[in-house]
Amino acid sequence: WRALYKRLFAVADRVLAAVGTSMVMSSTMRHNLAATLALGDEAPGFEIERTIKINTPISDLYDFWANPENYPQALSHVARIDRLGENLYRWTLNGPAGVPVGWEGMITRAIPNTLVEWKSLPVATIGNFGIVRFHPDYDASTRVQIRMFYRPPAGILGRFLAELLGADAGDILDQDLANLKAIFER
């Protein structure tokens, strides 16, 4: 009996493994493997969302975010941003291992003291889009909420390599928001 139970459990394990594998494969095929790996122009990429409370008026924070040329003052990963035209900018970031990465992007929507929305142009090295929202708090401080998506070169492999080189996008954003808070609260 023991031998029979062992064989039955071994068969059941294989069947469950096959069913699980087929479910994963089916799901991946339905959702497009390129999108799953954050490759290709249709893939939204990876999401980062953060919220921070800053003890400063909402108008000061909105003014900062509405002009991307301000970003290098507070965001360590932003080397420079040059205005190319109305709401069009050339971004240069300090990439993994200090390698500069650049692309063109635009402010797509700005509602005073409410939100700033942006996106990269289609041929960007790092495709990205996002929104920063400003919420007044009862104590005259401001909650800043950032939600962004980015698509690194080589998709998930590029993200993994960047993280290996100490360039995790979420960690960088956390540090930059803490720096922004310190600057505005001084």
Side-chain angles (χ1 to χ4, degrees), residues 4 15 18 36 54 57 67-69 72 74 94 96 98 109 123 144 147 156:
L4 181 60
V15 168
T36 302
I54 302 177
N67 182 2
E69 292 170 300
N94 299 316
R109 187 167 59 142
V123 294
V144 178
R147 184 172 186 220
I156 198 166

Side-chain angles (χ1 to χ4, degrees), residues 4 15 23 74 91 112 119 123 136 154-155 161 164 167-168 174 180:
L4 181 60
V15 168
M23 288 172 67
W91 294 65
K119 72 175 182 176
V123 294
L161 288 172
L164 269 178
D168 176 68
D174 289 340
L180 183 70

Side-chain angles (χ1 to χ4, degrees), residues 68-82:
E69 292 170 300
N70 290 327
Y71 299 176
Q73 299 169 24
L75 309 178
S76 65
H77 68 291
V78 179
R80 73 183 284 139
I81 296 182
D82 300 307

